[in-house]
């Protein structure tokens, strides 16, 4: 099963010019990426921004900051992601706990897309995010 727009967590259009966006953006709501890896990169960068800007350091806080209340039942999403990631929804996640971030992203992608994420693509997306976060976050 292919992930729509190579955008595993449905990153919406904004003023941010994400790495790996396709030149033509024909979907009016969601960003289209050249590959899933770039979609995961944007997702990780969003999580990094939420952590830095809003203090999001748990699954519940990440999901609350990311989720649209109109699109998804938040508590259901929190429970599913927490279960699939094997991490308590309210357990603080260390800033550099890459394994936890990967597990959360795989769980979120699975819940939203109905298919298991390819871990190698998730890991490559995280690698891109770590590499590019200074450009996006201005650190």
């Amino acid at each position: 099963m292919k992930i729509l727009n190579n955008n595993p967590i449905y990153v919406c259009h904004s003023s941010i010019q994400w790495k790996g966006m396709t030149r033509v953006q024909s979907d009016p709501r969601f960003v289209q990426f050249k590959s899933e890896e770039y979609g995961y990169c944007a997702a990780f960068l969003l999580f990094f921004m939420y952590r830095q800007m809003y203090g999001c350091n748990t699954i519940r806080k990440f999901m609350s900051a990311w989720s649209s209340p109109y699109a998804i039942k938040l508590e259901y999403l929190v429970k599913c992601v927490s279960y699939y990631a094997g991490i308590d929804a309210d357990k603080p996640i260390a800033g550099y706990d890459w394994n936890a971030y990967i597990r959360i992203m795989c769980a979120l992608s699975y819940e939203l897309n109905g298919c298991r994420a390819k871990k190698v693509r998730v890991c490559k997306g995280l690698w891109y995010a770590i590499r590019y976060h200074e450009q996006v976050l201005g650190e």
Side-chain angles (χ1 to χ4, degrees), residues 74-88:
L74 179 60
E75 193 53 36
Y76 175 78
L77 180 65
V78 168
K79 285 180 183 179
C80 289
V81 171
S82 177
Y83 174 79
Y84 291 126
I87 300 170
D88 184 274

Side-chain angles (χ1 to χ4, degrees), residues 9 40 43-44 47 100-110 122:
I9 71 159
Y40 285 117
F44 282 118
F47 281 10
Y101 278 104
I102 290 166
R103 290 168 39 208
I104 292 166
M105 193 59 65
C106 286
L108 181 57
S109 182
Y110 176 73
V122 176

Side-chain angles (χ1 to χ4, degrees), residues 5-20:
N5 296 337
N6 289 317
N7 189 342
I9 71 159
Y10 303 102
V11 174
C12 293
H13 286 289
S14 69
S15 61
I16 298 172
Q17 293 298 304
W18 299 106
K19 290 283 185 185

Side-chain angles (χ1 to χ4, degrees), residues 46-100:
L46 278 174
F47 281 10
F48 297 165
M49 284 190 285
Y50 295 155
R51 180 179 199 90
Q52 181 183 43
M53 296 168 69
Y54 309 115
C56 296
N57 65 347
T58 68
I59 289 174
R60 185 177 313 282
K61 288 177 183 177
F62 282 130
M63 296 302 103
S64 295
W66 167 79
S67 158
S68 164
Y70 306 108
I72 293 177
K73 302 283 185 209
L74 179 60
E75 193 53 36
Y76 175 78
L77 180 65
V78 168
K79 285 180 183 179
C80 289
V81 171
S82 177
Y83 174 79
Y84 291 126
I87 300 170
D88 184 274
D90 297 306
K91 178 185 178 206
I93 299 160
Y96 296 103
D97 188 347
W98 306 130
N99 183 47

